[in-house]
Amino acid sequence: MRPDLTSEQGWQRLHPLTPLARVGRLVPVVVVGFVLSSTHANGQGGAEEDYYVAAIAVLTVILGVVHWLVTRWKLDGDVLRIETGLIRRDSRQLPLARIQAVDIVRPLLGRLLGLSELRIRLASSGSTDGRLAYLSEAAALELRQFLLAGHREPTAATQDHEAEVPMAQVPTGRLVGSVLLSVVSIVLIAAVVTLLILANVAPAAAAAVASVLAVYLFSIAAALWRRLSGEFHFEAVEAPEGVRIRRGLLQTVSETVPYGRIQAVRQIEPLLWRPLGWCRLEVDIAGSSGKSQRGEGSGVSRKALLPVGSHQDAWHMVNRLMGGPTPVMTKPPHRSRFKAPMSYHYLAAGHDTGHAVCVTGRLRRVTSWVPLEKAQSIRRVQGPAQRRLRLASVHVDVAGRRVRAEFRDRSVEEADALVRGLTELSRQARLAREGPSGPPADPRAAVAPAGWYPDPSAQHELRYWDEERWTEHVSTGGVSALDPP
């Protein structure tokens, strides 16, 4: 390791060019301000707006210098300490043993100056717990390798890059084609063509419609550009700590998806992509609090593991992540066609000793893989139409509100067998993951003994352990079997 990364050298500062790199975030705003002020002052003999824009730029530089002066970091034994703030001092201590992911972000101006930003995430936390913006590229890479090595052998940091195994890449042409074949792109193109036709027929009406739709069209175009720019030159490699993703056109990002946080893998096949054999692979990561979670326990974030690729690429990545081939898939009984006549032919599900897999969707086909060791509850749900047809659905829930595998419209006998079998398989998978040194005997034995299931006609309340705290689970009109740790 380089001497300047050791704690004996004391506190370290960020790169001296950090204030200039921070100003780069406001370059587009400053440029637009200058253009608008110049246009407004054209022919009027005044340019007072130019001074306002210049004053804002100078003030931003001064604030950047102050931030650089009050920010420092230090490796103190097995803890990374980061201190910042002038009036309100913020001091963070990040244990190296709990560091689970370190992402490298290089904005456009930072790349031109040879700078990188480190974003550090700890275990059981989805947000960024610490940031170092900015360091030189060499220092950022070296510090990242050392932080990821953590409590492992010192030589592991030097072998980090050599241990990477390529998993998938996205060619530029395929990425552009996938963006153009998206529903958002089709809506944007249709709206622009309609406005052009309307401009030739009724210019006044076209101008009125364009003034109303301008904000929405610009928003759609910006969203398409963000996707194209953010997923440009996408590359996924297998690293010791997780799947490492590199992507970006103007701003490059190197982020890590830890294996232990993967709650579910989802393969999406939009209708317009199917003739080309393309699909999208997404992964749900526990620990990130989404806006839709409303503070309900642990949330999830969704990341693209493969923005667009062939089924072979997706199968290869799923096989590496899930650790085995897809189990045998079965379809619902024929009488389920009366309940779901349009989607019956597309429903399928199956499981093995480690995973539950389901296929749903007619226009947008989705295949979901859920590790049974991550299951937090297994629910048997039966609606009015299902009761008349003697059908039921079984849901395998993991962290998050909408993350689950569904065995839809199964016979009542099969659903009951699935609840019992999946509960036992989930228990075995979790015990196998924890090993002999796992937690003691299940403390819920007095609450919900093994093999006990509530009456479907009543409302029952069960307690289950979600690896962090006791949580209340209420099941109304259905059976819920809960997986112990």
Side-chain angles (χ1 to χ4, degrees), residues 171-252:
T172 304
R174 180 180 295 175
L175 177 62
V176 174
S178 67
V179 173
L180 293 177
L181 290 177
S182 63
V183 177
V184 178
S185 297
I186 294 176
V187 171
L188 178 62
I189 295 173
V192 173
V193 171
T194 303
L195 287 176
L196 292 177
I197 296 175
L198 187 61
N200 294 327
V201 178
V209 173
S211 62
V212 175
L213 299 180
V215 176
Y216 301 99
L217 296 180
F218 278 117
S219 300
I220 294 175
L224 294 176
W225 168 251
R226 284 195 300 268
R227 179 180 172 186
L228 184 62
S229 176
E231 297 176 351
F232 182 80
H233 197 57
F234 187 97
E235 179 185 16
V237 297
E238 186 178 0
E241 71 279 1
V243 180
R244 190 170 299 165
I245 296 173
R246 302 186 183 96
R247 57 183 176 83
L249 177 60
L250 301 181
Q251 173 179 282
T252 62

Side-chain angles (χ1 to χ4, degrees), residues 11 17 27 69 72 102-103 105 173 202 208 221 225 246 255 265 283 318 327 333 337 353 371 384-385 396 466 478:
W11 291 99
L17 295 179
V27 168
L69 290 174
R72 59 181 185 172
V102 180
D103 301 335
V105 179
W225 168 251
R246 302 186 183 96
E255 57 184 348
V265 179
V283 60
V318 172
R337 288 179 294 183
T353 57
V396 181
D466 67 353

Side-chain angles (χ1 to χ4, degrees), residues 5 25 69 100 102 147 152 267 284 300 302 320 325 352 401 404 454:
L5 295 183
R25 303 174 181 177
L69 290 174
Q100 197 164 36
V102 180
L147 294 178
R152 296 181 297 179
Q267 176 181 296
D284 293 292
V300 294
R302 187 166 297 172
R320 299 299 294 265
D352 54 18
R401 299 177 62 187
R404 61 177 178 262

Side-chain angles (χ1 to χ4, degrees), residues 354-372:
H355 305 91
V357 186
C358 67
V359 180
T360 58
R362 178 180 178 88
L363 300 179
R364 185 173 179 266
R365 186 180 304 167
V366 179
T367 305
S368 301
W369 289 264
V370 173
L372 292 179

